[in-house]
Amino acid sequence: MIKKDSSNILTIQDLHASINGTEILKGIDFTVRSGEIHAIMGLNGSGKSTLAKVLAGHSAYEVTQGSVLFDDIDLLALPPEERARAGLFLAFQYPIEIPGVANTQFLRLAYNTVQTRRGKEELDPLEFDDFVREKMKMLDMKPDFLDRSVNEGFSGGEKKRNEVLQMALLEPKLSILDETDSGLDIDALKIVAQGVNQIANQNNAMIVVTHYQRLLDYIVPDYVHVMQSGRIVMTGGKELALELETHGYDWISANKQSLAGVSA
Amino acid sequence: MTTSLQSDYLQYLLSSWDIKPTESLSWLDRLRAEAIDQAGTQQLPTKKDEEWRFTDISPLARLPFQAATPKFDLQAKDIEHLKLKEADNRLVFVDGHFAPHLSIISGSLSHIVGNLPALTSRDTLLQSHLGKHVSIDHNVFAALNTAFLRDAAVIVFPKEFVLEQPVHLLFIATQSEVTSYPRSLIIGEPGSQATVIEDYVSLQPSAAYITNSVTEISLAEHARIQHVRVQRESNQAFHLANCAASLGHASHFQSTTVTLGAQISRYNMHIHIANEAAECDISGLSMISGRQLADTHTCIDHAKPHGISQQQHKCIVDDAAHAVFNGKIIVRPHAQRTNSSQSSRNLLLSKSAQVDTKPQLEIFADDVKCAHGATVGQLDAEEIFYLQSRGLSETEARNLLTFAFGAEIINRIPVPSLKQQLEQAVLKQTQSH
Ligand SMILES: Nc1ncnc2c1ncn2[C@@H]1O[C@H](COP(=O)(O)OP(=O)(O)O)[C@@H](O)[C@H]1O
Ligand SMILES: [Mg+2]
């Protein structure tokens, strides 16, 4: 929800990033205030996941220019774990499988690490079990999820739910959901969206990366940005997603000139 | 190393042995005498031997450690930390010698579990198995072990007998500069089911000594044996081991080996699918660091049709350590409908760590399924990033992933307290960085 007096959670200025010497992000400007939900749309290969991973601190990407403030700290100076502990969360487009690590062990470790940092009590395995089962109900997840290895042999949809579960546990200040909707059938999509909506409040913010307008029927964005070749080429309200749905991305190229420079 | 030094070494070892029989089993004397002859004609292997290409055991020739004499200073309290609470039956051997005061055998099992000399009532059965599964041809260490054979852990699971609790065979090294010759014989008669743990430990973390062990396992039809082998010798020890299992009709053999200790270790495992529809499930983990060398050679010999073998071997190699895995699978011409899979996965934690892994398939039947694969790699950067993105430091992430890599094998051990001990050992090693 847009409110005039909200504070900035994320301030990105002129962000350029490369991988193996190839520039992928070519100057991103973008501000997220608390309480807001932003959608980022764009064709495959436009740089959406790159932006998400640069924000989360993936070491394969080199930031060559620009700045990112998280609240008022220099995000780019922090290693990934410090970003997570500070309240940044990335739901991966392709969640990683970790054979041999039980999901419950992983979730508790992540939860306790972040809790400790916030000066709160850690939960022992029994307490955590109650806590996590409660959250799992919200996402309609089967209890056997906990005993399996992290994401190993999970279906695409199960992996995505596991990401949203982690988000629900860690209560991040800023969540970036990278195509959490792809691979989900409509029922699963609704459940995931419901989970996201329960987490969203006035003190946090979300960036929802998606290909499809259908997710935005359930998670209503305050802003929609369109990415193309490593830049945000268009920004609008939630109706922009509908326009894209009707006209396709070619329409952007035609209208880009007149709309260039608009930013949230 | 010269040949004469080698044969001197063997002569020297053999001369140390008091060959006078201590029991009245003449077949046993004959077995020993043959082994002495065999050992006398053999030489220590060198890297020129195909089977020892990666493992240089020449340092052994400079260490003519005599056979250990019995020393039973150990008290029950000294081995408290090694006990497994699930195991009601435990045979303890100190430097290769049976230690009755540390062992426990429930009364009802005393005729089927014990030291070799105590089980002479099963003479005919023992005679038909002892020395019949591990070959001493071209195997100087097995020949030496048999030459020195006196005490041995013997277990005979009778027909249709089901033992829920595992039997713990605990081989403790206490003396330096000696050689011990642990020996085990496990016989599963038709339809029996049991779990046996072979556990090699040292009470002195940096004692130099040699363990030369031989284990023979026989499964009759429909027998099911779970075998666990743990090698946690001192970091200066040499551990040379031969294990052979013969699988009868529709029997099921599961074996999990965890190798953590010794300066140089070599484990030969030979599985003979001797009858139709037998199944084996073999897994191994070597986790080594410093300048350790751990060599595992396995051979699964499908001699009869409809056999199933599944094998996975993993190595975690740190510092300048060196792991070797050679997994041979033979499918004989008549062994149609064999289904065999093998995977070798290796994790290198440092630049100077080394692994040599080699599948070796010798398939002479046409209607078979054989899958195999080997990977050697570092920890996956994407997995590390994923964990970091959830708040774990890079070191924590690496430790967790290393632990998980090994835990996949350790989790197969059907004895919770042992599993926990090994998890702790692996955790300690992953966190030493
Ligand atoms: N390792 C890499 N080396 C070079 N180019 C890469 C690498 N990884 C991704 N890219 C390129 O970066 C661009 C953006 O990819 P990505 O951020 O995944 O796009 P999106 O998420 O919008 O589909 C693509 O053109 C892709 O080919
Ligand atoms: Mg993407």
Side-chain angles (χ1 to χ4, degrees), chain B residues 18 81 83 95 111 116 157 214 232 243 252 308 313 330:
Chain B
D18 171 13
H81 63 292
K83 291 179 181 167
D95 304 313
H111 62 297
L116 174 62
F157 298 112
V214 169
R232 31 185 173 172
C243 173
H252 188 279
I308 299 176
H313 192 81
I330 305 173

Side-chain angles (χ1 to χ4, degrees), chain A:
Chain A
M1 186 187 297
I2 306 175
K3 277 174 78 183
K4 274 265 149 18
D5 55 347
S6 310
S7 58
N8 285 4
I9 287 188
L10 186 73
T11 315
I12 306 177
Q13 284 183 320
D14 193 28
L15 182 66
H16 292 250
S18 324
I19 186 160
N20 301 326
T22 309
E23 183 167 74
I24 311 286
L25 300 185
K26 300 171 180 164
I28 305 261
D29 289 281
F30 172 31
T31 300
V32 178
R33 284 179 290 257
S34 63
E36 293 176 353
I37 297 179
H38 291 242
I40 298 182
M41 303 185 76
L43 291 171
N44 264 339
S46 56
K48 305 181 298 292
S49 293
T50 303
L51 175 61
K53 284 191 268 184
V54 166
L55 293 176
H58 196 298
S59 61
Y61 299 94
E62 191 197 354
V63 173
T64 52
Q65 204 175 312
S67 66
V68 180
L69 291 181
F70 186 59
D71 285 337
D72 45 14
I73 49 178
D74 176 5
L75 189 72
L76 300 177
L78 300 179
E81 63 271 25
E82 291 296 337
R83 300 182 193 198
R85 295 172 195 174
L88 182 95
F89 180 86
L90 169 61
F92 282 59
Q93 179 174 5
Y94 304 109
I96 308 295
E97 299 190 8
I98 310 185
V101 179
N103 209 16
T104 173
Q105 180 192 6
F106 163 69
L107 294 171
R108 192 166 71 88
L109 200 57
Y111 177 78
N112 280 340
T113 307
V114 172
Q115 284 297 99
T116 311
R117 170 61 188 261
R118 293 176 185 163
K120 294 191 184 144
E121 288 281 301
E122 294 195 4
L123 295 184
D124 70 31
L126 285 177
E127 294 167 329
F128 182 75
D129 202 59
D130 291 343
F131 177 65
V132 72
R133 279 173 199 274
E134 206 47 49
K135 300 273 180 193
M136 283 169 65
K137 267 191 220 147
M138 176 179 96
L139 293 164
D140 196 20
M141 292 168 81
K142 288 193 222 82
D144 76 337
F145 244 62
L146 291 173
D147 304 324
R148 292 158 66 186
S149 290
V150 179
N151 293 329
E152 193 188 29
F154 285 24
S155 70
E158 286 175 326
K159 285 182 184 170
K160 298 301 175 75
R161 279 187 221 206
N162 205 24
E163 296 291 286
V164 178
L165 175 64
Q166 291 167 49
M167 178 170 85
L169 291 172
L170 299 180
E171 297 180 341
K173 188 151 204 178
L174 176 68
S175 305
I176 306 168
L177 293 108
D178 191 0
E179 298 207 25
T180 301
D181 53 334
S182 40
L184 293 186
D185 62 36
I186 194 74
D187 292 332
L189 184 88
K190 281 185 196 163
I191 291 163
V192 165
Q194 205 181 335
V196 169
N197 288 328
Q198 282 192 26
I199 295 159
N201 63 37
Q202 269 315 308
N203 302 314
N204 61 26
M206 309 245 174
I207 300 174
V208 180
V209 175
T210 183
H211 252 348
Y212 311 103
Q213 133 74 21
R214 60 170 197 171
L215 176 68
L216 304 180
D217 290 340
Y218 304 98
I219 301 175
V220 182
D222 300 302
Y223 295 99
V224 174
H225 309 273
V226 180
M227 255 183 105
Q228 212 168 56
S229 315
R231 290 190 182 87
I232 291 177
V233 294
M234 193 181 277
T235 291
K238 61 173 189 285
E239 61 292 341
L240 178 54
L242 289 169
E243 302 248 33
L244 280 172
E245 180 87 340
T246 332
H247 305 294
Y249 284 94
D250 289 342
W251 170 79
I252 299 272
S253 314
N255 291 269
K256 185 154 82 176
Q257 241 56 35
S258 57
L259 288 157
V262 179
S263 93

Side-chain angles (χ1 to χ4, degrees), chain B residues 306-366:
Chain B
H306 296 282
I308 299 176
S309 65
Q310 273 177 0
Q311 181 175 30
Q312 54 170 331
H313 192 81
K314 286 187 165 189
C315 299
I316 303 175
V317 192
D318 203 351
D319 305 326
H322 181 186
V324 179
F325 173 66
N326 190 103
K328 189 193 278 191
I329 305 226
I330 305 173
V331 182
R332 306 262 171 199
H334 302 297
Q336 299 294 6
R337 298 291 174 104
T338 288
N339 189 339
S340 150
S341 69
Q342 180 189 76
S343 108
S344 158
R345 291 180 58 204
N346 303 280
L347 182 56
L348 298 179
L349 297 179
S350 92
K351 285 210 164 57
S352 39
Q354 189 188 342
V355 62
D356 289 290
T357 175
K358 190 173 131 206
Q360 201 182 332
L361 305 184
E362 298 179 2
I363 298 173
F364 305 104
D366 45 21

